[in-house]
Amino acid sequence: MALTNFTEDENQKIFLELFCAVEFIRGVDSEIIFLSAINIFLSITAFLGNTLILVALYKETSLHPPSKLLYRNLAITDLCVGIIVEPVAVTYWTSVVKERWDICYYSLRTAAFSGYTLCVVSSLTLTAISVDRLLALLLGLRYRQVVTLRRTSITILSIVGASTIIWSLFITTWYLRIVTALCLVIISFAYTKIFCTLRHNQIHVQNHVAQGQPSQAIPLNIARYRKAVYSALWVQGTFVVCYLPFTIAVALMPQRGIPISAYRAWHFTVTLVHLNSSLNPLLYCWKISEVQQAVKETLRQLFGRSS
C-alpha cells in the first residue's frame, strides 16, 4: 500500500517512514517485546485504578464539586490512556516486530494523535486545577460563589474542544508544544502567587500572636488549604517528571536519519508517559484523604459483596 495514502504533509510522511521501517527493529526487537509487555500491564493498572477513582469520586461528597469535577476529568483522561493509547501503542510495536507495515502506519497515527490530544487535555486540566487553587486563596468566602459547578463544566468542555483541534501530525505536535509552554507559565505563576500569599498570611498570623491576639480560624483554614495545594503539586510534579523526558527526546530528535539510540529513547520515554496514568490513582489515594476514604469504602463493599 502506498505511503501517500496515509499522509497529509511532508513532515507526517517522514515521521511514518522513519518509525515504520524494517531497519529499526534489527537488534531492538527484544526491547520492543519487553516494552509491549510493560504497556499491557500499565494499560490494565490504568484502567482499574482510574475506574476505582471515578467510582470513589462519585461517592465522595465532602470535596468541593468544581474541584472534584477537575480531578474526575483528569481521571477520565488517564482512563482513556489505558484503554485507547496504550493498546494502540502495543499494536504498533507488535506490527513493527511482525513487519506488518499497513497496520504499523494506522496504529502509529492513531497512537500519536490520541496521545497528543490526551496530553493537551491533561495539561489544560492541571492548569485549571492550579488556577482553581489560586482562586480559592484569593477569593476567600466568595470562592464558592464564583467557582461554580456550571462554570467549571464549561471550562472542561472548552478544554476538550481545544484539545481536539487536529489537522495533521505536524500541526498537532507544534500545537502541543505551544499549549504545554503556556500551561507551564500559568502553573508556575499560580503556585508562585500561592506560596507568596501563604507566606504573607503566615507572617500576618505570627504578628497577631505576638500582639496577644491569636486567631485559630485563620491558621486552621490555611493548614487545610496548604494540604490541598501540596496534593495538587504532587500530581503536577509527577506529570512533569513523566512527560519531561519524552518532551526532550522529541525536541532533540532529528527530522531525518534518526539513530537507533534516539529510536530507543523515544520508546522508553513513551512508556514513562503512559506510567503517569497508572501513578495518578495512587497519588489521589495517598494525598487526598477524602478520596482515600471513598476508595477504602468502595473496596470494602466490593470485596464484601464478592465474599
Side-chain angles (χ1 to χ4, degrees), residues 179-250:
V179 169
T180 302
L182 290 175
C183 288
L184 287 176
V185 170
I186 296 173
I187 290 173
S188 300
F189 170 79
Y191 283 108
T192 300
K193 180 67 175 177
I194 285 172
F195 284 109
C196 288
T197 305
L198 286 176
R199 177 60 180 169
H200 174 76
N201 288 343
Q202 183 180 5
I203 295 175
H204 179 71
V205 171
Q206 291 174 349
N207 290 337
H208 272 274
V209 173
Q211 296 172 6
Q213 301 174 352
S215 176
Q216 293 296 326
I218 294 178
L220 287 176
N221 288 338
I222 292 298
R224 182 178 179 182
Y225 173 80
R226 192 188 297 271
K227 183 179 179 181
V229 168
Y230 281 125
S231 299
L233 268 177
W234 268 97
V235 176
Q236 307 217 16
T238 304
F239 179 86
V240 172
V241 170
C242 290
Y243 276 77
L244 185 59
F246 174 77
T247 304
I248 295 175
V250 172

Side-chain angles (χ1 to χ4, degrees), residues 7-27:
T7 59
E8 294 145 3
D9 55 46
E10 186 63 25
N11 290 282
Q12 186 169 319
K13 180 179 179 180
I14 294 172
F15 177 83
L16 294 174
E17 286 177 340
L18 289 173
F19 285 86
C20 288
V22 67
E23 57 266 21
F24 273 130
I25 68 170
R26 293 170 182 165

Side-chain angles (χ1 to χ4, degrees), residues 84-117:
I84 298 176
V85 180
E86 288 174 305
V88 174
V90 172
T91 302
Y92 159 70
W93 283 320
T94 304
S95 67
V96 170
V97 174
K98 298 293 185 180
E99 298 186 22
R100 292 292 305 273
W101 307 123
D102 52 343
I103 299 176
C104 179
Y105 299 141
Y106 279 123
S107 58
L108 181 57
R109 282 190 62 187
T110 304
F113 281 127
S114 58
Y116 285 167
T117 299

Side-chain angles (χ1 to χ4, degrees), residues 38-39 42-43 45-47 49-50 53 74-75 77-79 81-82 86 115 118-123 125-126 232-246 268-284:
I38 291 179
N39 277 268
L42 292 179
S43 176
T45 56
F47 170 74
N50 287 286
I53 291 298
L74 197 58
T77 303
D78 290 330
L79 180 64
V81 171
E86 288 174 305
L118 292 174
C119 179
V120 172
V121 174
S122 296
S123 300
T125 303
L126 288 171
L233 268 177
W234 268 97
V235 176
Q236 307 217 16
T238 304
F239 179 86
V240 172
V241 170
C242 290
Y243 276 77
L244 185 59
F246 174 77
F268 280 103
T269 55
V270 164
T271 301
L272 185 59
V273 167
H274 295 166
L275 174 64
N276 180 249
S277 297
S278 296
L279 290 179
N280 279 339
L282 299 177
L283 291 175
Y284 301 150

